[in-house]
Amino acid sequence: MNEKEAKKQIQKLREEINYHNTKYYVENNPIISDYEYDMLLKKLETLEAQFPDLVTADSPTQRVGGEPLKGFRTVEHKRPMLSLDNAYSFDELREYDERIKKNCRDVEYICEPKIDGVSIALIYENGIFVRGATRGDGSKGDDITTNLRTIRSIPLRLQGSSLKNAEIRGEVYFPISVFQRFNKEQEKKGEQVFANPRNAAAGSLRQLDPRIVALRPLDTFLYYVSHSDIDFETHEKSLELLRTAGFRVNPLIEKVSNIDEAISYCKNLETKREALDYEIDGVVLKVNLIAQQNQLGSTIKHPRWAIAFKFTAKQATTQLKDIVIQVGRTGTLTPVAILEPAQVGGVTVSRATLHNFDELKRKDIRIGDVVLVERSGDVIPQVVKSIAEKRRGDEKIRVIPRKCPVCGSDVIRTLDEVAVRCPNQQCPARLKWRLEYFASRDAMDIDHLGGQTIDKLIEKGLVDTIADLYELTEKDLLTLEGFKEKSVKNLLESIEKSKQQGLARLIYGLGIRHVGKYAAQLLASHCCSIDELARKSAEELMQIHGLGEKTAESIATFFATQENIELIKRLKDIGMRTKEIKKEGSLSGKKFVFTGALPSLSRPDASGLVMKNGGIVSSSIGKDIDFVVVGTDPGSKYQKAKKLELTIIDENEFKKLVGVL
Ligand SMILES: [Zn+2]
């Protein structure tokens, strides 16, 4: 294919992908499967890899996120992002309307749900998205362009509209429906969990690595053209234009012709509040006619042509009766407030999270306090603060427990972490999670051992540790509900088979904090056996290139814990393969880095081939890398590899090495 032809094809693919993007992310009405969409994107990626000169900033491939940033640049907003004046009652809304009517006649309002997210300003030049920033202090915000690019509902190029140069404002939010699951996954990975969807949106946008942002399900609603080369007659018309340009505009926005209708809108929307997949905290009323908006102008703080009506807060005050300790699936001890039952935004609340002990101390929340409780989204209610003025003097401070309330192990707390955890891998509170993780596909890959079966095993008291799995008998399993001879045989065979999965999977399956798949492979290739790994100090482990300090310390702690020492001994006793078998001439321990697109192998396939042969796939170039596999359009890694004089090979050479050619 020549460049001219490629250009045409690329153009066509981009239009097609953008079209489907709008269908999916803006209209919520996809007309092709995710697979078909991925294939279109892949095709475009391949073409762009062949013709790197044709890659432009507005290409859909540019959404996946580039290299991490060092920090955000501060940028000045073209026009200050003012905050809105608030009204907390319908009377206040009527007063506002009276003030407006002193200056303007026949006022129409546009009523918009007030999205509780993160305010952003997007700048388009010649129809291309060039910059996006947070609100910041109103006059200056953070340049988060690379992160915003990853959000699919933000058009990188404005569609078939007359809008070319503009600053557009709106809100980024984290959908409620995926928020809880997201937090659970974060917790599982030992990463930050967020108090509510808005914090999750803000936290995601503050990520310095846009590749992480690209994995977050962020979405947007845009609601205001703050500056453009078009003169709009009404706010309504500007919203219509935003829609045709490819932005997501909230479907619940309505025009009303007087304040009574506006109040009905507010009442009606408040009843729908719980059913929406995004959080709203009120209604924004905007004067529709732009001429009237201009006439009204702004104060230093607020525009006079708009006001926010705030819904009743989902907050209440009540008495905190006790603080109990919950042990989570990763062993984290969380203080939980037991409350005098109270109505919070229409729901009775009797428990609320206190997040962690640092928060507890910082907020100085004591047993017996009167506290302010808040509910937000679908999440567990939280204690916002204690009301110190109401103290009587007999309130008690809850100190950090020294022992796990479930198993009695001494708790641990590292300097850089706020979490207090139970280090006992066999702590019953963590057992289910531990077993699921151990049996998962990336770990020991034990067929027929799913969550329900694990529940039954725990319920019957048949397993207390991972090692117990290997001592299950036919007789034991036949006592489980729904288990017949055939299913028992299948499960026992899968368990037996897993003994041979090898050292890397075993290390991963142990669920040591901070030890992911890559670290597990790295450890397996450096230490020939689990015993050797267990003997290494944190300092020795840190000598392994690619292993961080946190990970090294976490491993050392794991193997210093008595329960874990016993677990390893038992695993060896039952015949678990705990030594790495070094094959002669194989790629055992050899490290690979891929850069650029390979002609025939996908990245996961290529990585799979490396691992199958005992090699390790690394993501960063260093002196210790044995092979750098280079495809078309390689990145900076290629230059670095040349500088370090590493062995650089192409796909064919790679295939020979891994034995598929
Ligand atoms: Zn415990």
Side-chain angles (χ1 to χ4, degrees):
M1 194 184 308
N2 62 33
E3 184 151 336
K4 203 175 148 202
E5 214 172 299
K7 200 171 173 178
K8 237 167 86 186
Q9 273 218 30
I10 285 177
Q11 189 55 35
K12 209 177 132 238
L13 277 167
R14 283 180 192 167
E15 276 168 24
E16 213 176 331
I17 291 167
N18 282 334
Y19 171 75
H20 290 300
N21 252 341
T22 313
K23 280 275 167 214
Y24 190 99
Y25 293 103
V26 179
E27 296 170 19
N28 259 323
N29 180 27
I31 51 170
I32 55 171
S33 69
D34 288 358
Y35 176 77
E36 287 165 315
Y37 177 87
D38 288 344
M39 287 302 109
L40 286 175
L41 201 62
K42 212 167 172 183
K43 217 158 133 190
L44 178 60
E45 275 170 3
T46 317
L47 265 176
E48 285 184 349
Q50 280 169 15
F51 299 93
D53 289 348
L54 298 178
V55 180
T56 56
D58 66 331
S59 172
T61 56
Q62 300 305 299
R63 288 196 192 272
V64 283
E67 294 291 308
L69 304 169
K70 295 269 180 294
F72 296 115
R73 204 163 52 97
T74 307
V75 288
E76 202 154 331
H77 296 301
K78 283 199 172 167
R79 290 183 185 180
M81 290 177 84
L82 301 177
S83 59
L84 293 176
D85 203 359
N86 293 319
Y88 294 95
S89 68
F90 294 136
D91 283 347
E92 284 179 51
L93 268 190
R94 287 186 198 281
E95 282 164 26
Y96 171 75
D97 182 56
E98 291 300 321
R99 285 203 300 275
I100 297 294
K101 282 200 258 182
K102 272 186 196 148
N103 293 294
C104 309
R105 297 209 312 192
D106 302 323
V107 181
E108 285 176 337
Y109 293 108
I110 299 291
C111 298
E112 305 179 356
K114 190 170 181 297
I115 315 294
D116 194 11
V118 179
S119 302
I120 51 160
L122 309 173
I123 293 178
Y124 287 80
E125 281 169 10
N126 290 315
I128 307 283
F129 173 52
V130 293
R131 200 188 85 190
T134 58
R135 180 174 177 279
D137 64 3
S139 60
K140 289 193 206 86
D142 284 336
D143 183 338
I144 52 165
T145 313
T146 44
N147 286 347
L148 289 172
R149 267 183 192 293
T150 67
I151 302 175
R152 302 289 175 109
S153 60
I154 295 178
L156 299 179
R157 174 195 283 273
L158 299 178
Q159 291 165 26
S161 80
S162 39
L163 203 56
K164 290 283 170 244
N165 300 297
E167 189 195 71
I168 293 152
R169 293 180 185 170
E171 210 85 356
V172 174
Y173 71 90
F174 201 105
I176 298 172
S177 56
V178 284
F179 175 69
Q180 275 185 308
R181 197 177 61 214
F182 170 77
N183 253 356
K184 270 184 199 154
E185 274 162 24
Q186 288 287 101
E187 193 192 340
K188 216 193 246 180
K189 285 187 277 182
E191 280 165 24
Q192 186 184 11
V193 293
F194 295 98
N196 55 46
R198 187 166 49 82
N199 287 359
S204 300
L205 289 176
R206 267 199 302 271
Q207 275 285 341
L208 288 174
D209 190 343
R211 289 168 297 197
I212 293 174
V213 187
L215 300 172
R216 306 260 169 106
L218 298 173
D219 214 331
T220 56
F221 282 121
L222 279 297
Y223 47 68
Y224 183 50
V225 181
S226 55
H227 163 87
S228 82
D229 38 21
I230 295 175
D231 285 326
F232 296 102
E233 195 193 329
T234 60
H235 178 57
E236 188 182 22
K237 289 233 164 76
S238 72
L239 292 175
E240 272 164 32
L241 193 70
L242 284 181
R243 268 195 198 103
T244 43
F247 292 99
R248 218 167 151 237
V249 176
N250 193 285
L252 301 174
I253 294 177
E254 267 176 41
K255 182 169 75 179
V256 298
S257 47
N258 58 52
I259 196 68
D260 287 328
E261 284 180 26
I263 289 172
S264 308
Y265 177 93
C266 293
K267 285 180 182 163
N268 184 20
L269 190 67
E270 192 161 9
T271 64
K272 290 184 189 156
R273 186 180 184 182
E274 300 284 324
L276 301 174
D277 196 25
Y278 42 89
E279 297 216 37
I280 56 173
D281 56 1
V283 172
V284 178
L285 257 63
K286 291 176 183 165
V287 171
N288 191 25
L289 266 181
I290 304 290
Q292 288 180 339
Q293 286 190 2
N294 292 338
Q295 192 190 336
L296 289 161
S298 307
T299 68
I300 313 169
K301 280 159 90 183
H302 317 291
R304 288 196 189 91
W305 47 267
I307 192 159
F309 170 73
K310 301 281 257 196
F311 290 152
T312 32
K314 293 190 192 174
Q315 289 186 334
T317 55
T318 188
Q319 202 191 21
L320 192 153
K321 296 195 298 188
D322 197 6
I323 295 174
V324 297
I325 311 294
Q326 228 169 41
V327 184
R329 296 194 295 181
T330 53
T332 308
L333 270 59
T334 309
V336 176
I338 303 298
L339 307 165
E340 186 60 43
Q343 287 286 315
V344 186
V347 172
T348 308
V349 170
S350 54
R351 281 168 86 89
T353 179
L354 292 159
H355 298 296
N356 55 55
F357 290 98
D358 271 8
E359 284 265 303
L360 193 64
K361 199 172 162 197
R362 192 173 58 76
K363 291 181 178 170
D364 187 24
I365 293 166
R366 303 178 189 175
I367 298 168
D369 266 345
V370 173
V371 291
L372 182 68
V373 182
E374 184 186 75
R375 203 164 58 82
S376 123
D378 254 353
V379 299
I380 317 157
Q382 53 181 319
V383 175
V384 182
K385 61 174 190 177
S386 64
I387 299 166
E389 293 77 17
K390 297 209 171 169
R391 280 193 184 141
R392 294 177 314 248
D394 58 350
E395 292 77 13
K396 280 195 278 297
I397 292 174
R398 183 70 155 109
V399 293
I400 300 175
R402 302 167 82 158
K403 292 191 184 301
C404 169
V406 178
C407 71
S409 299
D410 288 340
V411 300
I412 52 160
R413 182 172 201 184
T414 47
L415 280 175
D416 58 331
E417 280 179 299
V418 290
V420 176
R421 26 186 101 247
C422 165
N424 176 8
Q425 293 289 317
Q426 278 71 55
C427 176
R430 308 175 60 174
L431 185 59
K432 187 191 173 187
W433 175 80
R434 294 277 318 102
L435 291 170
E436 267 182 353
Y437 191 84
F438 185 76
S440 69
R441 269 182 63 186
D442 289 331
M444 303 305 270
D445 194 17
I446 307 177
D447 279 339
H448 313 290
L449 189 59
Q452 286 183 343
T453 305
I454 290 171
D455 277 340
K456 288 177 191 165
L457 290 170
I458 296 176
E459 214 174 282
K460 287 263 174 195
L462 291 170
V463 284
D464 286 327
T465 76
I466 288 169
D468 291 336
L469 286 175
Y470 295 92
E471 283 172 7
L472 288 171
T473 63
E474 205 180 316
K475 208 174 123 203
D476 290 337
L477 294 178
L478 279 170
T479 65
L480 299 184
E481 190 200 316
F483 270 72
K484 300 259 153 42
E485 254 169 53
K486 174 88 175 139
S487 41
V488 167
K489 187 169 162 272
N490 285 340
L491 180 54
L492 285 174
E493 274 174 12
S494 304
I495 292 173
E496 182 62 28
K497 208 176 86 190
S498 71
K499 288 181 182 171
Q500 300 303 321
Q501 288 289 20
L503 189 56
R505 279 171 176 273
L506 175 63
I507 295 171
Y508 177 70
L510 289 173
I512 306 168
R513 237 167 97 71
H514 302 305
V515 177
K517 270 183 280 181
Y518 170 68
Q521 288 177 46
L522 197 65
L523 291 165
S525 74
H526 273 271
C527 313
C528 300
S529 69
I530 199 94
D531 289 334
E532 197 184 324
L533 175 63
R535 270 197 302 271
K536 284 199 191 308
S537 66
E539 288 72 31
E540 285 170 319
L541 287 164
M542 259 182 272
Q543 302 301 314
I544 300 176
H545 182 87
L547 208 67
E549 192 181 332
K550 257 192 191 172
T551 317
E553 275 166 10
S554 165
I555 297 164
T557 309
F558 179 91
F559 287 107
T561 307
Q562 189 54 38
E563 289 84 353
N564 296 329
I565 296 169
E566 277 161 28
L567 171 70
I568 301 298
K569 187 180 173 300
R570 274 188 69 198
L571 286 176
K572 283 194 300 191
D573 288 347
I574 54 101
M576 175 74 66
R577 197 178 120 198
T578 58
K579 283 187 184 140
E580 198 63 352
I581 304 158
K582 291 232 160 121
K583 282 179 251 157
E584 210 45 52
S586 78
L587 300 175
S588 179
K590 295 272 186 261
K591 291 188 194 136
F592 288 76
V593 165
F594 291 96
T595 176
L598 297 180
S600 72
L601 287 170
S602 73
R603 198 58 75 78
D605 288 346
S607 304
L609 286 167
V610 171
M611 288 185 250
K612 220 175 107 185
N613 284 275
I616 299 166
V617 181
S618 173
S619 57
S620 56
I621 289 276
K623 275 190 197 142
D624 60 325
I625 299 300
D626 298 292
F627 296 101
V628 180
V629 188
V630 176
T632 46
D633 191 23
S636 58
K637 286 178 194 167
Y638 178 54
Q639 301 304 329
K640 220 169 151 191
K642 279 203 293 197
K643 224 183 214 167
L644 291 171
E645 297 177 346
L646 302 176
T647 310
I648 296 169
I649 59 173
D650 63 11
E651 191 190 69
N652 271 341
E653 289 167 289
F654 171 72
K655 280 179 167 173
K656 277 180 205 154
L657 214 54
V658 294
V660 293
L661 202 72

